[in-house]
Amino acid sequence: MGRIPLISGNWKMNLNHFEAIQLLQKLSYELRSHNFDSVEVSVHPPFTNIRSIQTVIDADRMLFKLGAQNCHFEPSGAFTGEVSPAMLKKLDVDFVIVGHSERRGLFGEANEMVAAKASAVFSHGMVPIVCVGESLEERENGQAEVVVEAQIRESLAGLKRDEMSNVVVAYEPIWAIGTGATASPSDAQEMCSHIRSTLASMHAPAAEKVRIQYGGSVNASNVNELMSMPDVDGALVGGASLEAASFARIVGYEDA
Ligand code: PGA
């Protein structure tokens, strides 16, 4: 029972809803249904586009899973500017990215908040993609594994046992995000394997089930080698997901 790879396009703060629909339609044109046989594919538009994308996926019976990039952990209330998990669930969202390094670094999200978000996403019937990853300085100081292990332990604290087995983890070294500098396949493998052992020590049955994505400058040329690593079960793709042809080649990496 292998883990089904999950390839996710994180569109970040790009594209208005018209542009987002166009991208999705182009992407759908580039892909064939067999591309979805062995890989799950999620797209994560900005909040303002989710309803439009949901409608297109639904109307054209597309096989994409719908994702969000963030959410609040409370179900509702006086949290100006925030979006709740319940609102996302109502739009048929399947996956919610939580704790992306841009959220951690630019908006002050610490592991405790990421943990609250991950639990809230699960309790609303969606799956969180929990992001972890070290900075360049931490890697150069030989602290990468310690930092990532602590992020895993603290960001997944509070998940129930079945949730531990269903969570998706994205290992995204900060120095590789949007820089064109990808972790080498062996570095990615080493960290993903360390993440899996950490998961095993938290809840043994989870270790073999959890999908661990690699993220950070994934493109059509490096995806194949990264995906051939035994503990890399998918990719979280930023820049290259904004261009239909390149994201289609990433999704169809097995055809290459
Ligand atoms: P990138 O972004 O592919 O542009 O490096 C990845 C991410 O931030 O999820």
Side-chain angles (χ1 to χ4, degrees), residues 10 12 100 102 172 176-178 216-218 236-239:
N10 174 11
K12 305 195 180 184
H100 188 281
E102 286 150 18
E172 299 203 299
I177 295 178
S217 299
V218 174
L236 182 52
V237 187

Side-chain angles (χ1 to χ4, degrees), residues 83-234:
V83 168
S84 80
M87 294 168 184
L88 296 177
K89 180 63 184 173
K90 198 72 183 164
L91 292 168
D92 297 335
V93 164
D94 302 290
F95 294 99
V96 185
I97 298 170
V98 298
H100 188 281
S101 65
E102 286 150 18
R103 302 289 325 165
R104 291 175 183 267
L106 302 171
F107 302 98
E109 292 191 10
N111 291 329
E112 196 183 8
M113 185 187 279
V114 177
K117 291 183 176 196
S119 289
V121 167
F122 267 128
S123 61
H124 286 84
M126 300 174 289
V127 172
I129 298 177
V130 178
C131 301
V132 295
E134 81 285 357
S135 66
L136 184 58
E137 197 186 355
E138 288 161 344
R139 176 153 287 261
E140 285 175 347
N141 291 339
Q143 296 169 323
E145 288 201 349
V146 176
V147 167
V148 169
E149 178 170 339
Q151 286 176 331
I152 289 285
R153 290 190 185 282
E154 291 169 29
S155 303
L156 304 185
L159 291 191
K160 301 187 185 106
R161 284 165 173 265
D162 60 316
E163 295 172 344
M164 273 298 290
S165 300
N166 288 315
V167 72
V168 175
V169 171
Y171 167 56
E172 299 203 299
I174 297 169
W175 47 270
I177 295 178
T179 59
T182 325
S184 69
S186 60
D187 282 348
Q189 166 56 26
E190 207 173 309
M191 187 62 86
C192 290
S193 154
H194 185 65
I195 290 172
R196 206 175 293 290
S197 344
T198 306
L199 293 168
S201 76
M202 295 171 75
H203 178 51
E208 285 311 306
K209 284 190 159 181
V210 169
R211 291 182 287 183
I212 306 176
Q213 297 178 311
Y214 167 80
S217 299
V218 174
N219 59 41
S221 323
N222 59 29
V223 65
N224 222 307
E225 238 192 317
L226 288 160
M227 291 299 294
S228 71
M229 297 292 120
D231 286 300
V232 176
D233 309 312

